[in-house]
Amino acid sequence: MAAEFDTAHVKNIVLLGHAGSGKTTLAECLLFEAGLISKRGTIAEGNTVGDYHDLEKERGNTIFSKLMHTRWRGYKINIIDTPGYDDFAGDVLSALRVSDTGIMLLNASMGVEVGTDVIWQYTERFKTPMIFAVNHLDNEKADFDATVKEAKQHFGNNITVVQYPLNQGEGFQSIIDVLRMTMYKFKDAGGKPEKLPIPDEEKSKADELHKLLVEAVAGNDETLMEKYFDKGELDEEDIKAGMKKAMINHDIFPLFCISAEHNMGGGRLMGFIDNVCPSANEMPPQISVKGEEIHCNPGGKVCAFIFKATSEPHVGDLSFLKVYSGTLKAGMELINETTGVAEKINQLFVVEGNKRIAVNELTAGDIGATLKLRNTHVNNTLHEKNTGYELKPIVFPLSNISIAISTLKKGEEEKLANALHQLREEDPTIEIEVSQELKQTIISCQGDMHLAVIKWKLEHQYKVDVVFSETKIPYRETIRTAAEAVYRHKKQSGGAGQFGEVHMRIEPWYEGMPDPEGLNVRGRDTHELPWGGKLVFYNCIVGGAIDQRFLPSILKGVMEKMQEGPLTGSYVRDIRVSVFDGRMHPVDSNDISFKIAGLMAFKNAFRLAAPQLLEPIQHVEVLCPENITGAVMGDLQTRRALVEGLTTEGNFTKIIARVPLAEMYDYASSLRSITQGRAKFKMNFHEYCPVPFEMQRKLSDAYSKVDKEEVVG
Ligand SMILES: Nc1nc2c(ncn2[C@@H]2O[C@H](COP(=O)(O)OP(=O)(O)OP(=O)(O)O)[C@@H](O)[C@H]2O)c(=O)[nH]1
Ligand SMILES: [Mg+2]
């Protein structure tokens, strides 16, 4: 069974759009129109090819991108349905990486939504040729003109109307096509429309839009422009060729009309895909990491890119790949450029939702899957020996939320660790950290929907019940003034005793500070602390009051306390310690005595030195529709936010603020509920700042209770 389609007849399409814009429903239409399925499934019935996962059926949303393929008039059209929720942006990015045309769905009753905008930014990274499809035209609130106007405001005037609806809203059934200059009239059940002449009353509008379309095509190509000037028109073949070129260059984004629910417009869209949209070999070559051009040539050396991995009970463990060059045959041995490991590709599949069909080969430009490769991961390149190709990786988004995770039952910790490792393997937008500092396993991901999916997978797929809890805040402790303390550690119990006395001054450390006043400096060491900041340790002992050999023990004691600060048990930073006096005992002094004396002197001096708790402050950016900016700002103000900037981006406002991490715990879900999912935010660590006095008191009171209990216990 050889590949049935040559490179020129393979097209890779990705369906994009805000949640609910109708991508999965449209995919169903496309598969139905191509005869791949005999009945269209619906989201309500939970029987679509795309949303087959139990969790997707339960929620009515796509969560994982799905690869499907159709055959249409001699073409193989790979379609990737993607999730609209930004929590699953990783899958959108990986699908975009391997697609040659995107179809961005707009909901005619909603216009441009926040997801549309966010996804658009991703498409710009890849310069994917884009089609717009205005969906939900049967909705009583559908407003085609307003949707197009908004789309142009957001994405520019390269949006070019190819179709407009005749009677949008309830009873919608006619589309006027200004490329073909015809009217499509659908039956109630949709499907194949009747082709009718454009009604007289629509003629001038259709002519005007046709002219704009032709001018847009001609405007991007000199030869076509000349032809247009000569004849005052372009024929359909010229328009198609010009349009393809303009789409590749991002000069034209053709706009179509559909009602996916009623199966209207999908067939014409497929026709446009095979007629006009570029095949993989018509796209610019891939530029490798080293700068080589990799052409989509079936006769070239094999170069394939892993863009996705899944592990699902009924579908199996699969690595999804796109062949960028050469013809990949089952049984071939390839080299993983990233790991250097040789991988044998035993089996190859084309995929249809949750079905996989074995094939012998995949030609350049095609997308398929293989059984999950042990040493090959998402973003790795596989190539034939001696080529050394490495394709550019997908840059996945950083996480938005973090939460501590633990097992419900004791003893399942290892099971959880393994499951998390597996999850991370499939989903590079998850981060896992075992924090020594906070003594928590912390999972960071894209948002609360993403988190719910992770929990579901852990419980249903990996059979480990988990609980989430608030991530502890990585506070830091420091001091505001200098202080001195003396501590004598003395223990006499039968045999050998313990004795060590340390006199210590501590001061807030800052860059370029002069040597300690009034002390006789004999030596100094600067220690960069692994948790940030410094400890500068001065030896100012005079007259041999303490032996040199005990200094490391004193430092050890100080360090120990700095790892569990006196105020709240957090890491201590930016302190200068000067040991300037002490006493020894000729027999009882030893390392342990001086370690304890150093630790206690430090602890006591710290308490006298106006201790200051520091908290992490995040840089936060929120993108929200203009009309709800007030609500978002109000909520930020309850979180001790310092708003630093407000800018307008189209119909959206971007709020830039500094917010303490301690106030951001539930922000993702709170923002979602305030804005009904229409806003997006990102944050990253900015700096450490002092905690307000009252909060510091509460935190240190709470700690002193625990600290005491620990001592007693
Ligand atoms: N009336 C009407 N409903 C539609 C249309 N297209 C989709 N729907 C409905 O809108 C809802 C969302 O459709 P989906 O196909 O799941 O949307 P999606 O873009 O895949 O959404 P996500 O997977 O969440 O990103 C479903 O209930 C569909 O039945 C349409 O053209 N008209
Ligand atoms: Mg969907």
Side-chain angles (χ1 to χ4, degrees), residues 2 46 56 60 207 213 229 272 317 319 343 385 401 444 491 505 507 538 617-618 650 655 659 682 709:
E56 295 175 319
D207 282 342
L213 173 71
F229 267 136
F272 186 82
D317 293 358
S319 297
E343 291 275 20
K385 262 184 201 139
I401 61 165
S444 300
K491 207 165 153 193
R505 179 187 297 176
E507 296 156 286
Y538 271 62
I617 305 290
Q618 303 295 102
I655 306 170
V659 194
K682 60 179 181 190
E709 279 161 16

Side-chain angles (χ1 to χ4, degrees), residues 527-545:
H527 302 266
E528 298 279 351
L529 301 166
W531 51 88
K534 287 191 171 108
L535 163 67
V536 179
F537 191 77
Y538 271 62
N539 168 10
C540 306
I541 297 165
V542 279

Side-chain angles (χ1 to χ4, degrees), residues 619-622 636 642-647 654-658:
H619 171 91
V620 178
E621 284 184 23
V622 188
L636 278 174
L642 190 73
V643 174
E644 294 198 316
L646 271 182
T647 50
K654 188 196 245 180
I655 306 170
I656 298 175
R658 297 272 156 82

